[in-house]
Amino acid sequence: MREARRLKGGIMSLVILWMTIVAAPIIDPERAYACSCAVASDIEEALDNHAAVFAGKVTKLDKGSSVQRIQSSADKVEVVFLVDKVWKGELSEETNVSTVRSEASCGYTFSDNISYLVFAYEDKEGNLHTGLCSGNMLLSEASTQIQQLDAIHASYEPIAEAAAAPGEPAAISVQKDGGVDSIVYWIGAIVVIMIILGGIGLGLVKGRRRKD
């Protein structure tokens, strides 16, 4: 009996150890892998290697669903910046840059309401991406890098967001606020009303003809 219990206990220990090894990358994927990359040797190389270089404050972080059971260190994170200065690229005042969730997968960890010096590359669709290997840093710690960037290329302002002109017609305002969906909705509503009115008018005409 004792030998059977020891054997059973040993098997259970092996099962628990196996489950721990298998589940570790799923439960804590950040610790399962490590990022290895080569950072640009100087600021001029970093400027040449990226499509956009700017200073901006994080205004929004979108890390996707927090109820997702299995999370990967490579899950996409969308970061919205309020851009202050630009050294490269045509950027709007509000610019989106994506990275990945964890530094284990070479993602860069941004914090809300914090300003950064950002180096981003561009994909085929024109979307901006950045990561741990791009050379991003806190703006408060980037005074030397900013001086070097200014020496290479003077910074410039981001493209201002288009604002509605005073006295703009209401129809245009609806289009800006509601977009295409609002236009389709109102067109559909008008068509339905016209069909109903047409049906009522046709019914009245037929009624009069019967009376005559």
Side-chain angles (χ1 to χ4, degrees):
M1 289 292 291
R2 290 182 179 178
E3 291 182 0
R5 288 178 181 177
R6 289 178 181 176
L7 180 61
K8 185 177 180 180
I11 293 173
M12 288 299 296
S13 298
L14 288 173
V15 169
I16 293 171
L17 178 62
W18 178 82
M19 290 179 66
T20 302
I21 294 171
V22 171
I26 300 174
I27 296 172
D28 193 4
E30 287 82 359
R31 298 182 182 180
Y33 306 99
C35 174
S36 177
C37 58
V39 181
S41 58
D42 55 44
I43 200 72
E44 188 171 3
E45 183 181 350
L47 186 65
D48 290 340
N49 291 345
H50 293 86
V53 179
F54 66 91
K57 183 178 181 179
V58 176
T59 59
K60 184 179 179 182
L61 284 170
D62 185 1
K63 298 182 179 180
S65 176
S66 60
V67 297
Q68 186 178 349
R69 289 187 177 181
I70 299 177
Q71 294 183 343
S72 168
S73 62
D75 286 343
K76 189 176 181 180
V77 177
E78 290 287 348
V79 188
V80 181
F81 288 93
L82 181 62
V83 178
D84 180 38
K85 292 182 179 180
V86 184
W87 286 272
K88 188 175 182 180
E90 296 182 2
L91 306 179
S92 300
E93 287 179 327
E94 187 175 271
T95 292
N96 288 35
V97 180
S98 67
T99 184
V100 294
R101 182 183 295 274
S102 171
E103 292 182 358
S105 293
C106 295
Y108 189 87
T109 304
F110 291 101
S111 298
D112 203 11
N113 294 318
I114 302 297
S115 296
Y116 295 87
L117 176 62
V118 181
F119 297 82
Y121 60 92
E122 194 175 50
D123 62 20
K124 294 180 180 179
E125 286 73 35
N127 301 313
L128 293 176
H129 305 267
T130 192
L132 188 64
C133 305
S134 297
N136 306 312
M137 63 186 68
L138 292 168
L139 193 62
S140 59
E141 300 176 357
S143 57
T144 301
Q145 287 76 9
I146 288 173
Q147 290 177 2
Q148 292 173 347
L149 285 169
D150 284 335
I152 299 170
H153 192 297
S155 65
Y156 50 93
E157 299 295 322
I159 301 170
E161 300 290 341
E168 195 172 35
I172 297 177
S173 178
V174 170
Q175 182 178 353
K176 285 190 175 183
D177 293 339
V180 176
D181 290 341
S182 295
I183 296 173
V184 173
Y185 170 80
W186 286 111
I187 291 175
I190 292 170
V191 170
V192 170
I193 292 171
M194 291 178 65
I195 292 173
I196 294 173
L197 291 176
I200 294 172
L202 184 61
L204 291 174
V205 171
K206 288 183 177 180
R208 287 180 182 178
R209 288 180 179 178
R210 289 176 182 176
K211 289 181 180 179
D212 296 340

